[in-house]
Amino acid sequence: MIFSAVRDPYPTRDKSEGALIKRAEPVVYSRWVEDAPLTQAQVSQFDRDGYLVLIDVFSAHELDELRAASERASKNCANTHAGQLIREAANSDGAAQLRTLFGVHGLDGLLKDTASNPRMLEVIQFLLNDQVYIHQSRLNFKSPHYGSGFEWHSDFETWHAEDGMPGMRAISATVLLTDEISAPGSLKFMPRSHRTFVACPGETPDSCYREAFKKQRVGKPPALLLDLLQEHGGVQEVVAPAGSVLLFDCNVMHGAGNNTSDHLRANLFYVYNAISNALNAPYAADKPRPEFLAARHIQPLAAHVPA
Ligand code: 6CS
Ligand code: FE
């Protein structure tokens, strides 16, 4: 087990039964000003809840382009980026649908350029008040009647324990490629949970990530602690039209059920990390995860205005 040289402010997976630790960092790192890329109400809502939906960021035409690029990437990468593809368990006729493709920001073309689209990048740079880079990107598909969900978790707990992310200064921006409707499989959040770090029991097994995306075994918050967070802020479902962008703080508790609906759910995630929050050695894992899950060769993004 590698232990970072500095004291770990968020000890987790350290044989304890779990604990609640007050967040040390701010949520919004900038003071709002008139020319901010978000309204004061939006900034307050993100600060309060830990997530925010920006409606209609991408037009119907841009969405078609993004869907086509996602389709191409999923097909082309099956042979070239095998390690970056996660498939669902095979169904009755043996088909194993694509569930996640990681590292899409490293692919050519639109999926790479979208990471630097100013409509997202300038908002993230404002909220984190720093230059940012892509820690991780992925295409998530949850097929109708098939796509499996994710149990309640904090992304930061994994990124801290397994990737060595020192503090809470990262935000996920999710481009909704399909409508997020209120039906089984919808994305759910615990508002206000981002201000509390939930230390998880258990120890990180070797190459944990290979299985984690099918069945999360560690980094699972204890039920009692989840109940306390839920009592504090409740549970909210995200319902928003395709083309919207869902921003969520690295530490907000979120999850999704199995997609037993007949509606495909497809999302394009970009995880932006502040340059000042670049990764250390893992805080609770033997070795770092691969580059496509946790970027260590980093450079700050510059806004790229789409053609
Ligand atoms: O391990 C990770 O980095 C990923 N795991 C989950 C369940 N959500 C965030 C992230 O993509
Ligand atoms: Fe997650």
Side-chain angles (χ1 to χ4, degrees), residues 102 136 138 150 153 155 158-159 163 213 216 254 289:
F102 284 104
Q136 179 188 110
R138 64 191 188 279
F150 286 101
H153 66 281
D155 292 341
T158 298
W159 297 339
D163 300 336
F213 299 115
Q216 190 159 357
H254 62 288
R289 297 199 298 176

Side-chain angles (χ1 to χ4, degrees), residues 123-193:
V123 168
I124 300 290
Q125 288 171 330
F126 169 78
L127 291 171
L128 298 181
N129 192 22
D130 200 350
Q131 294 265 50
V132 296
Y133 70 95
I134 297 291
H135 164 69
Q136 179 188 110
S137 65
R138 64 191 188 279
L139 264 172
N140 257 10
F141 299 94
K142 281 218 301 260
S143 309
H145 296 296
Y146 186 67
S148 50
F150 286 101
E151 296 184 59
W152 286 111
H153 66 281
S154 151
D155 292 341
F156 177 74
E157 194 278 342
T158 298
W159 297 339
H160 183 72
E162 299 185 47
D163 300 336
M165 185 181 280
M168 297 181 185
R169 197 167 187 171
I171 292 175
S172 290
T174 308
V175 182
L176 305 187
L177 299 178
T178 51
D179 293 336
E180 273 299 318
I181 61 170
S182 177
S186 62
L187 251 175
K188 292 187 173 68
F189 285 85
M190 288 191 189
R192 304 167 190 239
S193 59

Side-chain angles (χ1 to χ4, degrees), residues 15 21 40 76 95 154 157 169 223 231 236 273 277-278 305 307:
K15 298 196 183 66
I21 300 170
Q40 197 164 16
N76 299 345
S154 151
E157 194 278 342
R169 197 167 187 171
E231 272 165 39
Q236 285 294 327
N273 190 24
N277 197 39
V305 183

